[in-house]
């Protein structure tokens, strides 16, 4: 099996190098071509089988992670507005979201046991809650289509601005700039995120890319730190990427200071936005947030609501338990074992960065893949985080073209596959988790050997790789 995989990789590497598929223009065509081929395949399948499923989320729940959540703030929407929704001819889907919303936080959901409660919006960070509340107020003042134009348009403008910023800080060509723009606005995870409406994750991905660009160039660091603090207050996973500061110049104290600054900003931003969110939405209290997190844990992790499009290794564990006819499918012991594995991998990655035994693209891939694999529910729209990974790798290839045996090529292949429509709603996540696991083991193996050789030696004095 291993020999076959090596042979397959050798053929892929030869094809990529011979045809220059790592170059931004050609890679853009490859990724767009894979999406086009999948779309054609879906259409042909639907024509002959009658199955209307596609590589995007079903139309009966589209834009739900933004519009439906915004419409769940029932204190903003009155019966008068519900009547106005019909009079103003809202699209049927949005009328349904307003009048029959499972996220609606009634006293019933907060008073019954977690196993009987419906999903809520109380698990959201305060800054993300402000984003949804602002959308709710805009809908109340206008209609959902105006809100979509504002917030989806804001993502498009933000993607264009961040792509220009990344090109300038990475110091790459116009062609690479176009590729970064494509990755930010039109690659498969981004299109999936836009169709699902998880704009909080989308904005977080753009902000992370902007911060990464400043970290690579060493310019405009304060602006980058602000972007990272904003990103972390939308999605917590980008906080791990601050570890790349360990690869920077200066003393250990200086590098730790650069890690602490965005952390302090993140805490300050959360402290400022929490009382504002509470003022706009009185149910948003610390106790209710804890309650909402418990309900989320039961509905999405213990139960099966989070299984579809889940790219976490937890889905494999739940699937194995299902095949063994073990109920419930979620098991605390299995979850803790996976979390322990993820923590060990993270510690090894931190050691590699501290000892400077790992290159920047490999570390960014690793710190992006680890939470995707080991957070119990990591839906495909959060793969927008890999936009920063592929932008960095392609920019690095332009500065230093690859040669046979280049250690960056496997990471490019894995990242492109992870960001491509490979399968359906359940199997796509399973494949992605295996791909990320393979890429992670590929990066960790030399780190583990280096750590073993180093033994008890202090990593501070280790030579730079």
């Amino acid at each position: 099996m291993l020999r076959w995989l090596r042979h397959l990789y050798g053929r892929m590497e030869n094809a990529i190098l011979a045809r220059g598929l790592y170059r931004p223009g050609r890679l853009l065509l490859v990724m767009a071509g894979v999406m086009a081929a999948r779309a054609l395949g879906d259409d042909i399948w639907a024509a002959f089988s009658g199955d209307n499923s596609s590589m995007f989320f079903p139309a009966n729940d589209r834009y739900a992670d933004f519009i439906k959540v915004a419409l769940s703030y029932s204190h903003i929407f009155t019966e008068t507005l519900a009547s106005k929704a019909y009079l103003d001819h809202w699209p049927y889907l949005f009328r349904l979201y307003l009048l029959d919303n499972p996220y609606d936080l009634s006293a019933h959901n907060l008073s019954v046991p977690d196993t009987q409660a419906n999903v809520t919006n109380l698990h959201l960070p305060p800054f993300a809650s402000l984003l949804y509340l602002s959308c709710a107020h805009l809908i109340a003042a206008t209609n959902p289509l105006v809100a979509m134009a504002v917030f989806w348009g804001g993502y498009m403008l933000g993607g264009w601005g961040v792509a220009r910023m990344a090109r300038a800080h990475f110091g790459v060509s116009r062609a690479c700039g176009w590729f970064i723009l494509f990755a930010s606005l039109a690659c498969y995870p981004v299109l999936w995120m836009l169709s699902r409406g998880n704009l909080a994750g989308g904005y977080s991905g753009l902000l992370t890319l902007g911060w990464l660009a400043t970290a690579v160039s060493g310019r405009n660091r304060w602006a980058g730190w602000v972007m990272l603090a904003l990103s972390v207050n939308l999605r917590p996973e980008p906080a791990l990427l601050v570890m790349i500061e360990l690869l920077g110049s200066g003393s250990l104290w200086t590098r730790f200071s650069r890690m602490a600054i965005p952390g302090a900003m993140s805490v300050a931003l959360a402290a400022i936005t929490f009382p504002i969110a509470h003022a706009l939405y009185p149910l948003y209290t610390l106790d209710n947030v804890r309650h909402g997190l418990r309900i989320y844990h039961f509905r999405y992790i213990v139960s099966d609501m989070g299984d579809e499009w889940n790219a976490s290794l937890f889905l494999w564990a739940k699937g194995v338990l299902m095949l063994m006819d073990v109920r419930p499918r979620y098991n605390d012991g299995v979850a803790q074992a996976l979390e322990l594995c993820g923590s060990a991998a993270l510690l090894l990655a931190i050691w590699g960065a501290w000892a400077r035994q790992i290159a920047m693209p490999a570390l960014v891939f690793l710190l992006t893949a680890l939470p995707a694999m080991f957070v119990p529910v990591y839906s495909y729209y959060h793969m927008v985080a890999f936009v920063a990974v592929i932008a960095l790798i392609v920019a690095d290839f332009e500065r230093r073209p690859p040669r046979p045996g280049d250690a960056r090529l496997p990471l490019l292949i894995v990242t492109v596959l992870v960001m491509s429509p490979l399968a359906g709603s359940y199997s796509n996540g399973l494949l992605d988790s295996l791909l990320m696991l393979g890429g992670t083991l590929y990066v960790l193996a030399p780190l583990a050997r280096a750590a073993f050789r180093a033994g008890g030696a202090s990593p501070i004095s280790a030579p730079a790789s």
Side-chain angles (χ1 to χ4, degrees), residues 169-437:
H169 282 269
F170 287 150
V172 292
S173 67
R174 184 183 296 273
C176 194
W178 281 111
F179 177 83
I180 296 173
L181 182 65
F182 163 77
S184 301
L185 298 182
C187 71
Y188 181 52
V190 168
L191 295 178
W192 212 100
M193 176 273 299
L194 291 173
S195 70
R196 180 58 179 167
N198 198 285
L199 288 176
Y203 292 151
S204 178
L206 291 182
L207 290 165
T208 301
L209 174 58
W211 166 77
L212 180 63
T214 64
V216 169
S217 70
R219 304 191 306 271
N220 305 118
R221 294 312 313 272
W222 283 98
W225 288 326
V226 170
M227 296 176 80
L228 182 59
L230 292 170
S231 176
V232 169
N233 273 270
L234 291 170
R235 290 288 304 175
E237 291 86 1
L240 292 182
L241 284 168
V242 77
M243 298 301 171
I244 72 170
E245 299 285 6
L246 291 173
L247 294 175
S249 60
S251 65
L252 188 61
W253 172 254
T254 301
R255 286 179 272 160
F256 275 130
S257 298
R258 290 198 293 261
M259 293 169 60
I261 290 172
M265 288 180 175
S266 299
V267 173
L269 183 60
I272 292 169
T273 54
F274 193 97
I276 299 174
H278 172 68
L280 293 173
Y281 186 40
L283 277 174
Y284 195 81
T285 64
L286 190 58
D287 286 340
N288 285 346
V289 168
R290 292 192 184 113
H291 194 168
L293 288 170
R294 290 201 309 270
I295 294 173
Y296 179 91
H297 177 83
F298 179 80
R299 287 292 180 185
Y300 284 91
I301 299 173
V302 177
S303 300
D304 59 358
M305 281 189 66
D307 290 352
E308 193 173 14
W309 293 96
N310 186 9
S312 170
L313 289 173
F314 280 75
L315 186 58
W316 282 98
K318 292 172 74 172
V320 170
L321 292 176
M322 181 182 69
L323 292 175
M324 295 170 63
D325 200 26
V326 174
R327 296 291 186 274
R329 290 168 57 187
Y330 175 84
N331 182 278
D332 282 327
V334 174
Q336 290 168 4
L338 287 173
E339 289 167 2
L340 183 62
C341 292
S343 299
L346 178 60
L347 289 174
L348 186 56
I350 293 171
W351 178 88
W354 189 13
R356 296 180 178 176
Q357 294 287 333
I358 186 171
M360 174 78 79
L363 183 60
V364 172
F365 174 89
L366 194 59
L367 295 176
T368 304
L370 285 178
M373 290 188 297
F374 292 102
V375 170
V377 175
Y378 199 91
S379 190
Y380 189 78
Y381 38 72
H382 295 313
M383 289 297 174
V384 173
F386 275 87
V387 169
V389 179
I390 199 165
L392 178 65
I393 292 176
V394 172
D396 199 54
F397 275 142
E398 184 169 274
R399 291 190 298 267
R400 298 182 297 118
R403 298 178 179 178
D406 195 303
R408 297 168 295 171
L409 275 175
L411 297 181
L412 176 67
I413 294 171
V414 169
T415 303
V416 168
L417 290 175
V418 165
M419 298 176 69
S420 299
L422 299 178
S425 59
Y426 287 93
S427 51
N428 197 93
L430 292 171
L431 290 174
D432 278 348
S433 61
L434 288 182
L435 287 166
M436 289 186 291
L437 180 61

Side-chain angles (χ1 to χ4, degrees), residues 19-73:
R19 293 171 174 79
L21 298 182
Y22 60 88
R23 293 171 184 160
R26 297 183 183 184
L27 187 59
L28 188 158
L29 293 176
V30 168
M31 296 179 71
V34 170
M35 284 192 289
R38 169 64 190 275
L40 178 61
D42 283 346
D43 192 55
I44 294 173
W45 175 256
F48 287 94
S49 69
D51 183 359
N52 293 321
S53 61
S54 74
M55 61 181 181
F56 293 109
F57 206 82
N60 63 350
D61 206 21
R62 196 152 290 173
Y63 319 119
D65 279 6
F66 203 76
I67 299 298
K68 183 191 282 189
V69 174
L71 289 172
S72 71
Y73 296 104

